[in-house]
Amino acid sequence: MGPLAVTQLLALISLTVAMDNGLLKTPPMGWMAWERFRCDIDCKDDPENCIREDLFRDMADRLVEDGWKELGYEYVIIDDCWMSMLRDEHGRLQPDPFRFPGGIAKLARYIHDRGLKLGIYADMGTHTCMGFPGTTLDTINIDAQTFASWGVDYLKFDGCSSNPIEQMLGYPLMSKALNATGRPMAYSCSWPVYVGGLPPKVNYSLLGDICHLWRNYVDIQDSWDSVQGIVEWFSNNQDDLQPAAGPGRWNDPDMLIIGNFGLSVDQARAQMALWAIMAAPLIMSNDLRNLDNSARFILQNKVAVAINQDSMGIQGRRLLQEKNHIEVYWRPLSHSASALVFLSRRTDMPSLYHTSLAKLKYDTGNYEAYDVFTGSTVTGLNATTQFTLSINPSGVVMWYVYPEQTSKETETLHYQHNKASQFTFHKAEPGHLTVL
């Protein structure tokens, strides 16, 4: 079947599917098991880290008790490896009875009782990526009904062990089946990544009618190289990807790995800043029971979260790639505000970057800039004011920028860190600011 025929068929299906149930007007936030805990099912020798109901109850408790829920981190999402190897006598998926003895419905009640939402994983294909039972075309309806009966709030629908034709049919059909249950469920599709992530093989306009969010690119790994590779792919293809995003339909560059083993503090700030700029889902995959303070401060940064959750829902863009390995990212926000991220791709030493808002296409006027990770505010900033930033290797400076006359409207976003500011601001010369 050619691309035109696929598009026409998908268009026909989408007319009756439209996944507009009012969910995810801002990117989803929460916690997911996969990147940190993978498919650890050895509950005998590794009971603290294996995929079982206790792990998800623990993470739900941490979201509530450690301040995550109040910031918007509300989803607890089960990934692969939760299932029994056999469906039940009625053809329904069922959890492994030893690792989930209470069943998924009981776990959902536990999570709902804490004001949180439960996500679950299935796969469009004969088997999941780790070899558990998949969802074939003839079991889509029963699986959707099963998830609804359990009280599931979010479905991640993967695509291992299926072909492009099955995916073309299955992803829209699951959307329709979820709608038919009458239970509002967020729907995360992995379809784009299995067909290359880009037009013409992916029709993002139609996909946005079917899914709330979608995985575009390869799985994230616990490394700075992986984060950089994802950011580079999204930036190189932003003309295709950026217009597809908006309230209720989000590009998903994959999980936040902050608090694991592969990122420095500067790199963790960089991931948080770039995911905020990209209007990406903020789905952590870490061990919330053993999270150090630096990771907690980054992930709970109220201004970074507010930028990510901006109601306009416009995905940001990379503006510049400089020869000195500095990159500039920008996102428009509500109330005539915006966010800027200055990223250093260097790995050796801090970089000094000289620029002005005018060079970054800002209109004439007076602005203030709030430094998201230090709590400092830059005042007296005209569009033509030259300023200099010091950016750590593989790190960022992130600014929340707003017109001076609207500063009072934005005070609620100004979150002052308890620690003293690392940066100081002073006039180096007329019309020039230095950030040290």
Side-chain angles (χ1 to χ4, degrees), residues 82-89 92-96 150:
W82 62 270
M83 303 168 188
S84 169
M85 283 295 186
L86 296 174
R87 289 175 176 261
D88 70 13
E89 64 273 20
R92 297 174 298 203
L93 293 171
Q94 56 183 340
D96 182 281
W150 288 341

Side-chain angles (χ1 to χ4, degrees), residues 82-97 121-128 131-147 150 155 157 174:
W82 62 270
M83 303 168 188
S84 169
M85 283 295 186
L86 296 174
R87 289 175 176 261
D88 70 13
E89 64 273 20
H90 303 291
R92 297 174 298 203
L93 293 171
Q94 56 183 340
D96 182 281
Y121 170 100
D123 186 281
M124 177 65 247
T126 57
H127 297 85
T128 74
F132 291 83
T135 298
T136 50
L137 293 173
D138 60 327
T139 59
I140 283 175
N141 285 326
I142 193 171
D143 288 354
Q145 293 162 9
T146 299
F147 299 146
W150 288 341
L155 172 64
F157 203 32
M174 177 57 83

